Amino acid sequence: MRHSVSGAWRWNVLATKPNVPSVNIVPWSPRTDLARGLETEWEKRLRDLASAEAELERRERQRPRMLSEEEKKRILSFGSDLHKVWTAPTTTDRDRKELLRTLLEEVIVTVDRPERRAHLTLRWRSSTLTELDLSLPRMKPHGLHTDEDTISLLRRLAVHYPDDVIAGILNRQQRKTANGERFTANQVGALRRYRNIPRYEPPAKPPTGELATIRQAAKILGVYTSTIHRWLNDGFIAGEQITPGAPWQIRITDELRSRFVEQAPPGYLPMLETTMKLGVSRQTVLQRVKRGELEALLVTRGRRKGLRIKVVDTQPGLFHE
């Protein structure tokens, strides 16, 4: 289909090339209507030709690259070692789904609810049958529960902040308890103990660094106050309050300063490149940063300001040795 489309556009380029029309030869002058008409028609044909050639070039770039003989042999060799392909760090969940769709012809599921068992019959495209017996999980009654995203955030915050600070962060994000209420320090503590999340242990030495208001912190770090509010709200940085409702203060430490840089070091990528390299969405990247699974810096200078994520390439691609 792509070849036929490209061929159609090559024909369009040939058809668009201007031809000099056959006309009666008359003495030319700048005021001759025929000369002006020919010039206008010629320029129009040249513009149409340039447009058709540009479109043809664009479509040629979109054509899929042909695999080399070596790459074809490498792909065919994977058929004898699907486990290597399935477990490769470069294989995403989407790739695994596509692989299953390619290999499976049909899946038949028979459920025995009294025995809480399920029998699966997998029919592969090679006509081979695989049968599996699985235990069904016990159904738990649907009661009030806190959403898992809040639990994940609580688990990360509890490493760094006490319950009252965590409650403030959760409330600024407009998160609610299982009963739809605002969080308090007692409710955070109860939820933390129910989920077996260790409580925050303050350091043996008093914290270092000066306390600054949000406006002062923004000036010290060289960013807008909205950036400080956003990072405080997302839990990337800690804030302190003398009492609930009092203005927030930021403790300016060397570790905090190190997160705000003028130029990102090697290995830190913009958000778009990070999502493409990891094969996940922007929201997933942000969640991993919040959970401490990915390191993040904020570039405050230059034309490409913004968040940079450290991505470690621990495994080469499937076509690399």
Side-chain angles (χ1 to χ4, degrees), residues 1 11 23-24 34 42 165 248 270:
M1 181 63 182
W11 176 258
V23 296
N24 295 326
L34 177 60
W42 184 264
V165 175
W248 284 94

Side-chain angles (χ1 to χ4, degrees), residues 73-190:
K73 292 180 180 179
R74 188 70 62 85
I75 292 176
L76 292 176
S77 68
F78 291 151
S80 60
D81 193 358
L82 289 178
H83 178 74
K84 180 179 179 181
V85 179
W86 186 272
T87 59
T90 52
T91 303
T92 64
D93 291 339
R94 181 177 180 179
D95 295 333
R96 295 185 180 94
K97 291 180 181 179
E98 291 295 335
L99 184 59
L100 284 177
R101 292 191 182 100
T102 302
L103 299 177
L104 281 172
E105 182 71 29
E106 184 181 25
V107 178
I108 302 174
V109 181
T110 304
V111 178
D112 186 350
R113 295 193 180 278
E115 295 295 330
R116 295 196 302 276
R117 303 283 297 178
H119 181 77
L120 278 68
T121 301
L122 309 180
R123 185 160 65 89
W124 305 90
R125 293 190 182 275
S126 61
S127 298
T128 303
L129 296 180
T130 301
E131 297 190 2
L132 299 174
D133 288 305
L134 302 175
S135 299
L136 296 178
R138 292 180 177 272
M139 298 297 293
K140 296 182 179 180
H142 295 284
L144 297 176
H145 65 279
T146 306
D147 64 271
E148 289 301 322
D149 185 57
T150 299
I151 298 300
S152 176
L153 179 59
L154 171 60
R155 197 179 303 277
R156 186 181 67 85
L157 294 176
V159 178
H160 305 283
Y161 314 133
D163 293 343
D164 56 341
V165 175
I166 295 176
I169 294 175
L170 297 179
N171 289 331
R172 285 198 303 276
Q173 294 188 5
Q174 297 182 351
R175 299 177 183 268
K176 301 295 183 181
T177 66
N179 295 319
E181 301 173 350
R182 287 173 57 85
F183 280 95
T184 64
N186 290 336
Q187 289 171 324
V188 170

Side-chain angles (χ1 to χ4, degrees), residues 221-238:
L221 299 173
V223 296
Y224 293 108
T225 56
S226 59
T227 301
I228 299 295
H229 278 293
R230 184 170 63 254
W231 277 47
L232 184 64
N233 185 66
D234 290 340
F236 291 156
I237 60 177

Side-chain angles (χ1 to χ4, degrees), residues 35 52 54 137 158 162 304-306:
R304 302 185 65 186
K305 301 178 183 178

Side-chain angles (χ1 to χ4, degrees), residues 298-317:
L298 186 69
V299 176
T300 60
R301 293 289 185 271
R303 297 179 59 184
R304 302 185 65 186
K305 301 178 183 178
L307 208 61
R308 297 292 185 275
I309 314 297
K310 185 176 183 180
V311 180
V312 179
D313 190 1
T314 58
Q315 176 73 19

